[in-house]
Amino acid sequence: SKATVSVLYWKTMSLTKVAEFKTHGGMVLKYTHDSYTTHTKMTFNIFIPATATKDNLGLPLYFLAGLTCTEDNFMVKCGAQVHAARHNVVLIAPDTSPRGAGIEGEDDSWDFGTGAGFYVNATAEKWSKHYNMFDYVNKELQEIVEANFPVLPGFRGITGHSMGGHGALISAFKNPNQYVSVSAFSPICHPTKCPWGEKAFTNYLGSVEAGKDWDATELMLKNGPFPFTIMCDVGTADPWSVGAEVNQLRPDDFDAAMKEKGQDHISRKHEGYEHGYYFVSTFIEDHIKFHAEEISKAAARGK
């Protein structure tokens, strides 16, 4: 089968380990590899708690970072490893885009191109060879992780922040049988209705209209409810949403869509918190516990 071929491929190909750090009894490992989805070198970090072994497989949780970020922001800034170690959760953090693809204009702005892949598969000719972060996250990276590391196969959680929150939501919505839990911090909830999304979709996909298939609020309205609980946290002082001249996040649109479709969800607004990793680090323990419980329950019942 195609899946079997992919697993055998990754077992016979070598990942290049470029760094390792011991933390909270486990290890953060950084790897690079040649990617068949982006046709570039890609890099990811993985935290493997000491409790995750071939006889006690860890619970895989993918974290997608936001605009301008790399695979390092979450692992370095969030303090998530102590909580992951407590719950036998393996954390996987990919980069946010291909790098060094050599496309004219990819480094011209902070909110598009390098560091801003938006977790879509580009269809515009200029970007379509390399900017396929959706397939990288939801196909290639998972093949690598499940073939090479001690994780429970087939039972996955996904979360993310800002652009990465958008990526986590659409990954789960477009692959509802691939994930058993999904959450987001300060996600870009309705990107067809905000400048960040309009810019990304116009360039990567050719139009804002095409972006509706990559928009969490639109996907909820079209295909919801989904067979999992969604956890979403936002801060009431987020400058990209509350009180901003332009509301880039539009969480109320997403909440309304979930309520309209009867989606099982946990939506929380946290007084005085802003957008960045001070916010994420404050509530990451709740999210890791949520995913650990949901993945464990799904595994116990066989999904």
Side-chain angles (χ1 to χ4, degrees):
S1 71
K2 187 175 182 180
T4 302
V5 170
S6 297
V7 169
L8 292 174
Y9 171 79
W10 280 112
K11 282 187 175 178
T12 58
M13 293 292 287
S14 62
L15 298 170
T16 301
K17 184 168 67 175
V18 295
E20 61 178 38
F21 307 95
K22 187 167 185 177
T23 179
H24 297 287
M27 297 296 296
V28 170
L29 308 171
K30 181 188 290 288
Y31 288 91
T32 63
H33 65 95
D34 292 321
S35 169
Y36 71 79
T37 52
T38 70
H39 301 96
T40 63
K41 289 279 188 184
M42 292 298 293
T43 307
F44 67 91
N45 286 323
I46 183 168
F47 169 70
I48 304 175
T51 51
T53 67
K54 66 179 182 179
D55 298 318
N56 184 41
L57 296 174
L59 311 178
L61 176 59
Y62 293 80
F63 183 95
L64 307 184
L67 293 166
T68 76
C69 292
T70 71
E71 71 282 352
D72 288 332
N73 293 71
F74 171 69
M75 286 289 184
V76 174
K77 293 183 175 183
C78 222
Q81 293 90 338
V82 63
H83 310 300
R86 189 174 299 128
H87 295 284
N88 196 34
V89 168
V90 173
L91 301 171
I92 306 103
D95 202 351
T96 55
S97 76
R99 293 181 188 268
I103 303 171
E104 182 183 358
E106 69 178 339
D107 296 323
D108 288 355
S109 57
W110 65 271
D111 58 355
F112 177 78
T114 301
F118 235 78
Y119 303 105
V120 301
N121 289 335
T123 56
E125 183 178 359
K126 181 177 178 179
W127 304 96
S128 62
K129 179 179 179 179
H130 300 293
Y131 278 72
N132 298 302
M133 288 301 295
F134 185 82
D135 278 355
Y136 177 73
V137 167
N138 293 286
K139 187 176 188 300
E140 184 174 10
L141 181 60
Q142 290 177 16
E143 293 169 353
I144 296 170
V145 169
E146 294 185 6
N148 291 280
F149 302 102
V151 299
L152 191 65
F155 298 91
R156 311 171 191 93
I158 190 165
T159 185
H161 171 238
S162 195
M163 178 185 72
H166 144 80
L169 293 172
I170 65 168
S171 291
F173 294 176
K174 292 171 80 68
N175 298 289
N177 295 319
Q178 195 166 323
Y179 297 97
V180 297
S181 58
V182 60
S183 72
F185 297 87
S186 312
I188 304 172
C189 293
H190 205 173
T192 55
K193 299 294 185 182
C194 77
W196 282 339
E198 291 167 359
K199 182 176 183 177
F201 294 152
T202 299
N203 285 279
Y204 290 139
L205 306 176
S207 70
V208 174
E209 182 67 21
K212 287 184 176 180
D213 286 336
W214 305 89
D215 180 314
T217 297
E218 298 295 332
L219 288 170
M220 177 60 67
L221 291 171
K222 180 180 179 182
N223 298 326
F226 296 97
F228 36 66
T229 301
I230 300 166
M231 184 176 187
C232 187
D233 281 351
V234 298
T236 65
D238 192 316
W240 296 113
S241 179
V242 180
E245 182 177 342
V246 176
N247 187 340
Q248 297 275 19
L249 307 183
R250 304 183 72 92
D252 292 341
D253 294 4
F254 186 53
D255 281 346
M258 287 193 289
K259 290 174 183 176
E260 179 178 327
K261 301 299 288 192
Q263 174 67 48
D264 188 15
H265 70 283
I266 303 166
S267 291
R268 308 189 302 182
K269 293 186 176 181
H270 300 279
E271 187 67 31
Y273 283 91
E274 297 187 12
H275 187 75
Y277 278 91
Y278 289 119
F279 170 56
V280 179
S281 65
T282 302
F283 299 102
I284 190 63
E285 180 179 8
D286 294 350
H287 285 245
I288 288 175
K289 183 179 179 182
F290 165 77
H291 285 279
E293 291 175 349
E294 294 297 311
I295 296 169
S296 296
K297 286 191 295 186
R301 65 176 182 262
K303 218 169 192 177

